[in-house]
């Protein structure tokens, strides 16, 4: 794995997990919206 | 980047190596995992003492029946703030500090994958807790509705309310960024021949913890966001009058809250799994089964949340499901405890301070685990709910559990951090006073709870006096014992020089770098194989 490839992989994994965190945040609020 | 030809410790002959910048800037703008780890650990110790002094207020008030020192309202603020500070300010940052220091050293990485985000996730914390502590001075006082922030009670908080919500958001943000950093580092920065199942247990448990954090901290943030809009923007997520459901908050909160307890205990499992093999001079028994057990615990932690709500009213099927799912967690936890004991079985054990704390962890955490099983039994929980039995249970899990593991880790890695051996006699004194007083504090609480003493009250009936007095004496003793730890830290650099290996039985990449660990390590990747050779 060269330095550039590592950087790209780091960026990709970071984005995936930021997206997961946002999905949980918005998802649970949406659940609140639906249920109230 | 080819790694096959370089030796384990490349830091000494790294041609562009440079030291830290001078002055406060080194800390404010730090992107170095060791400096950030140190800041996390110091911050956590500070919070441990602030939260601890609140515990002293609580135990002083409860030493005898009647109201002695504080107003009931302030007492409620103390229990609420003690919990928030200990959970989010002391235990979690301590483990993030250990992760920052040790994960790159254990996997042979030069630093965390996202060093600038690392700086942010630390510096958000002092801001968050500055805001939270400032609520003590606000009209209406600090939050007093319990750390669980149940509506509608929490909505009666005074001016402190929006500051509580904002500080919880900040704590969540910091944890999420820290967790993303840990995952990205472990996935992308391992030494070339360190496959996933070759990773040390501390790295493994932290990887699983980080997944839990990313799944549940946003849920907590969502819950408190909804509280905020209920209070200020006319929504009624949790307000029955507007068609909302206050019980829904409890479901959402505990969907976060139960995994949160594993967030605070899985890294502790990791620390103990590093220390016991070192001082038993044997390989960790069942490394892979430990990984599977921790993953099982993490999975189960998502489907047990309503065991915190058995008295709130739910269908019988729901009660049965959450009861049995909760009891199921005892199985993977039992696997772990079995493996620790099997690791020690016929080992040549010595009992240095880190080992003593780890052994106490195994025994005393198990007591907390068993009382947890008792609480899981729904019909019995109707009796235990909201009593001191619950307080006894989670303090056994968190104090001689998580906190002892943090202490064990601190003593274990301190020589690697400072380059000097700490004072073993004083360390042992710290251990024995802590262990005696922690039991004196929390064991009588089981009896109080079984006798029906409710939690979160500043006064109680006179029949509870004796056990309360014992608990208060224990608490003051435990608090004072922690000053011994400060003494150990202040004299940490006065001891004899530590070797690179530090402990006779230690193994792993972190012991191949010099003591103290230089500012930059593994700028060229090491061979992971070398670290395991001592046992193979
Ligand atoms: Cu739980």
């Amino acid at each position: 794995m060269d330095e550039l490839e590592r950087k790209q992989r780091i960026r990709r994994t970071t984005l995936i997990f930021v997206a997961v965190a946002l999905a949980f945040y918005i998802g649970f609020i949406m659940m609140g919206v639906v249920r109230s | 980047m080819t790694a096959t030809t370089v030796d384990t410790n490349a830091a000494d002959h790294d041609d562009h190596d440079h030291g830290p910048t001078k002055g406060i800037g080194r800390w404010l703008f730090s992107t170095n995992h060791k400096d950030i780890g140190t800041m996390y650990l110091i911050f956590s110790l500070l919070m441990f003492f602030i939260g601890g002094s609140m515990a002293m207020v609580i135990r002083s008030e409860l030493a005898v029946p009647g109201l002695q020192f504080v107003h009931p309202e302030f007492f409620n603020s103390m229990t609420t703030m003690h919990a928030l500070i200990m959970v989010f300010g002391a235990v979690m940052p301590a483990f993030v500090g250990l992760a920052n220091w040790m994960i790159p050293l254990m996997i042979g990485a030069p630093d965390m994958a996202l060093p600038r985000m690392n700086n942010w996730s630390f510096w958000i914390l002092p801001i968050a807790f500055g805001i939270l502590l400032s609520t003590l001075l606000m009209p209406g006082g600090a939050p007093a509705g319990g750390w669980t922030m149940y509506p509608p009670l929490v909505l009666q908080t005074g001016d402190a309310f929006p500051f509580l919500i904002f500080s919880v958001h900040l704590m969540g943000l910091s944890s999420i960024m820290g967790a993303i950093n840990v995952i990205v580092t472990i996935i992308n920065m391992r030494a070339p021949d360190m496959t996933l199942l070759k990773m040390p247990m501390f790295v493994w448990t932290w990887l699983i913890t980080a997944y839990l954090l990313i799944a549940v901290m946003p849920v907590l943030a969502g819950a408190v966001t909804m509280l905020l809009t209920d209070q200020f923007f006319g929504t009624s997520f949790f307000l029955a009058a507007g068609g909302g459901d206050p019980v829904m908050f409890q479901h959402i909160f505990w969907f976060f809250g139960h995994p949160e307890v594993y967030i605070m205990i899985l890294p502790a499992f990791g620390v103990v799994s590093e220390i016991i093999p070192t001082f038993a001079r044997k390989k960790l028994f069942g490394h892979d089964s430990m990984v599977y057990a921790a993953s099982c615990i993490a999975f189960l932690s998502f489907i047990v949340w309503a065991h915190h709500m058995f008295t709130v009213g739910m269908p019988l099927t729901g009660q049965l499901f959450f009861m049995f799912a909760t009891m199921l967690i005892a199985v993977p936890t039992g696997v772990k405890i079995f493996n620790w004991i099997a690791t020690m079985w016929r080992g040549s054990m010595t009992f240095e301070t880190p080992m003593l704390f780890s052994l106490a962890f195994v025994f005393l955490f198990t007591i907390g685990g068993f009382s947890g099983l008792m609480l899981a039994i729904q019909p019995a929980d109707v009796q235990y709910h909201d009593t001191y039995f619950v307080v006894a249970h989670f303090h056994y899990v968190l104090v001689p559990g998580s906190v002892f593991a943090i202490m064990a880790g601190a003593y274990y890695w301190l020589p690697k951090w400072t380059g000097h051996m700490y004072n073993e006699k004083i360390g042992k004194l710290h251990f024995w006073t802590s262990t005696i007083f922690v039991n004196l504090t929390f064991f009588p609480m089981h009896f109080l709870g079984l006798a029906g003493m409710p939690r979160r009250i500043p006064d109680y009936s006179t029949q509870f006096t004796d056990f309360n007095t014992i608990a208060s004496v224990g608490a003051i003793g435990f608090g004072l014992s922690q000053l011994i730890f400060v003494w150990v830290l202040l004299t940490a650099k006065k001891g004899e020089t530590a070797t690179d290996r530090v402990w006779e039985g230690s193994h792993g990449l972190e012991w191949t770098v010099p003591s103290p660990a230089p500012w930059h390590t593994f700028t060229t990747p090491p061979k992971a194989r070398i670290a395991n050779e001592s046992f193979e």
Side-chain angles (χ1 to χ4, degrees):
Chain A
M1 192 168 17
D2 63 14
E3 211 41 47
L4 186 70
E5 197 194 336
R6 188 192 299 274
K7 268 195 179 135
Q8 282 168 342
R9 283 189 190 196
I10 286 173
R11 184 170 301 142
R12 193 167 58 221
T13 354
T14 310
L15 286 175
I16 290 171
F17 284 100
V18 169
V20 170
L22 275 174
F24 269 94
Y25 179 65
I26 294 163
F28 269 75
I29 292 181
M30 287 322 288
M31 196 182 74
V33 171
V34 171
R35 293 244 345 180
S36 66
Chain B
M1 204 186 272
T2 49
T4 39
T5 52
V6 282
D7 65 22
T8 329
N9 174 25
D12 301 331
H13 40 84
D14 179 23
D15 48 331
H16 59 267
D17 196 17
H18 56 87
T21 47
K22 296 271 174 287
I24 188 86
R26 168 177 177 180
W27 306 101
L28 273 179
F29 308 114
S30 180
T31 53
N32 179 288
H33 74 101
K34 300 182 185 88
D35 283 359
I36 293 175
T38 305
M39 289 195 289
Y40 262 110
L41 289 168
I42 292 172
F43 175 80
S44 148
L45 188 66
L46 186 69
M47 287 298 134
F48 184 55
F49 277 102
I50 293 176
S53 59
M54 292 171 174
M56 295 301 106
V57 174
I58 294 168
R59 281 320 316 172
S60 308
E61 180 59 49
L62 291 174
V64 284
L67 297 176
Q68 346 325 303
F69 304 112
V70 293
H71 287 286
E73 181 69 13
F74 185 73
F75 181 90
N76 289 342
S77 287
M78 286 293 100
T79 56
T80 305
M81 296 286 276
H82 165 76
L84 287 170
I85 288 171
M86 288 306 205
V87 169
F88 296 104
V91 173
M92 288 169 71
F95 282 125
V96 181
L98 293 177
N100 256 295
W101 250 104
M102 301 320 296
I103 287 176
L105 289 181
M106 285 178 158
I107 63 173
D111 205 307
M112 297 295 276
L114 305 160
R116 274 171 288 202
M117 191 162 86
N118 207 5
N119 175 294
W120 272 101
S121 45
F122 173 74
W123 280 108
I124 283 175
L125 275 182
I127 299 168
F129 283 90
I131 292 170
L132 185 66
L133 286 169
S134 72
T135 61
L136 282 164
L137 309 170
M138 288 177 188
W147 82 285
T148 48
M149 300 176 281
Y150 281 3
L153 182 63
V154 74
L155 302 177
Q156 295 173 20
T157 309
D159 290 3
F161 182 75
F163 295 92
L164 166 70
I165 302 297
F166 187 45
S167 71
V168 171
H169 275 134
L170 288 179
M171 293 166 202
L173 195 62
S174 160
S175 301
I176 292 167
M177 295 201 301
I180 290 176
N181 218 338
V182 166
I183 293 179
V184 176
T185 306
I186 296 175
I187 291 182
N188 296 301
M189 307 277 285
R190 296 192 314 279
D193 54 354
M194 183 173 280
T195 56
L196 281 174
L197 276 175
K198 272 191 192 160
M199 295 195 311
M201 270 314 289
F202 180 69
V203 179
W204 254 113
T205 53
W206 240 113
L207 180 65
I208 296 165
T209 304
Y211 281 121
L212 289 183
L213 276 166
I214 286 175
V216 302
M217 290 313 289
V219 177
L220 175 69
V224 298
T225 305
M226 287 185 264
L227 284 180
L228 188 78
T229 60
D230 270 8
Q231 181 80 316
F232 295 113
F233 302 106
T235 61
S236 44
F237 287 109
F238 309 125
L239 303 177
D245 180 5
V247 174
M248 183 173 69
F249 179 86
Q250 300 185 19
H251 280 291
I252 298 173
F253 181 87
W254 287 113
F255 184 83
F256 144 80
H258 192 86
E260 170 69 18
V261 307
Y262 292 100
I263 287 164
M264 293 190 286
I265 207 66
L266 284 176
F269 288 171
V271 172
V272 168
S273 304
E274 296 297 325
I275 293 173
I276 289 179
T278 296
F279 296 99
R281 291 166 181 78
K282 273 176 68 192
K283 223 175 148 170
L284 181 67
F285 184 88
H287 175 280
D288 295 2
S289 71
M290 288 295 229
V291 172
Y292 299 130
S295 313
C296 264
I297 292 174
F299 168 73
L300 288 172
S301 76
F302 285 107
I303 55 164
V304 298
W305 75 88
H307 61 210
H308 297 268
M309 307 161 55
F310 277 150
T311 58
V312 87
M314 75 180 92
L316 185 65
T317 2
Q319 294 179 348
L320 284 172
F321 174 80
F322 287 110
M323 173 166 106
F324 290 130
T326 304
M327 293 166 121
L328 213 54
I329 297 183
V331 178
T333 313
V335 168
K336 290 193 151 289
I337 291 172
F338 177 87
N339 285 352
W340 290 322
I341 293 169
T343 306
M344 291 185 271
W345 177 254
R346 308 190 72 178
S348 38
M349 298 213 286
T350 51
F351 300 94
E352 287 86 345
T353 312
M355 182 61 159
L356 287 173
F357 272 107
S358 302
L359 289 176
F361 172 92
V362 175
F363 278 96
L364 299 176
F365 170 78
T366 306
I367 293 180
F370 277 132
S371 57
L373 266 177
M374 292 170 71
L375 287 161
I377 303 167
Q378 195 277 344
D381 182 75
V382 175
Q383 174 74 20
Y384 304 145
H385 187 88
D386 252 344
T387 69
Y388 257 79
F389 192 83
V390 180
V391 179
H393 156 68
F394 69 72
H395 278 96
Y396 260 91
V397 174
L398 281 171
V399 186
S402 305
V403 172
F404 270 31
I406 292 164
M407 290 297 174
Y411 280 103
Y412 184 53
W413 287 309
L414 202 56
K416 180 55 66 191
W417 301 335
T418 63
H420 294 270
M421 300 307 285
Y422 61 87
N423 187 327
E424 191 65 54
K425 271 209 184 85
I426 310 286
K428 282 188 171 132
L429 178 72
H430 175 220
F431 167 76
W432 283 110
T433 50
S434 295
T435 305
I436 291 165
F437 284 124
V438 89
N439 285 294
L440 204 61
T441 311
F442 298 119
F443 211 82
M445 292 183 185
H446 291 110
F447 307 132
L448 286 170
L450 291 178
M453 178 173 160
R455 58 190 287 208
R456 293 171 171 163
I457 49 159
D459 189 9
Y460 49 82
S461 307
T462 46
Q463 77 266 28
F464 301 129
T465 310
D466 295 351
F467 285 132
N468 267 299
T469 308
I470 296 171
S472 291
V473 170
I476 307 253
F478 184 80
L480 291 176
S481 304
Q482 303 321 303
L483 297 176
I484 304 174
F485 182 61
V486 177
W487 185 11
V488 169
L489 293 180
L490 292 177
T491 57
K493 285 198 169 178
K494 297 213 173 108
E496 55 180 296
T497 318
T499 59
D500 294 358
R501 192 85 185 274
V502 180
W503 311 104
E504 189 189 55
S506 57
H507 54 101
L509 286 173
E510 75 269 37
W511 308 106
T512 62
V513 302
S515 303
W519 209 54
H520 287 300
T521 37
F522 298 128
T523 38
T524 36
K527 286 186 202 164
R529 221 176 324 112
I530 292 169
N532 292 319
E533 265 163 14
S534 51
F535 280 131
E536 281 164 3

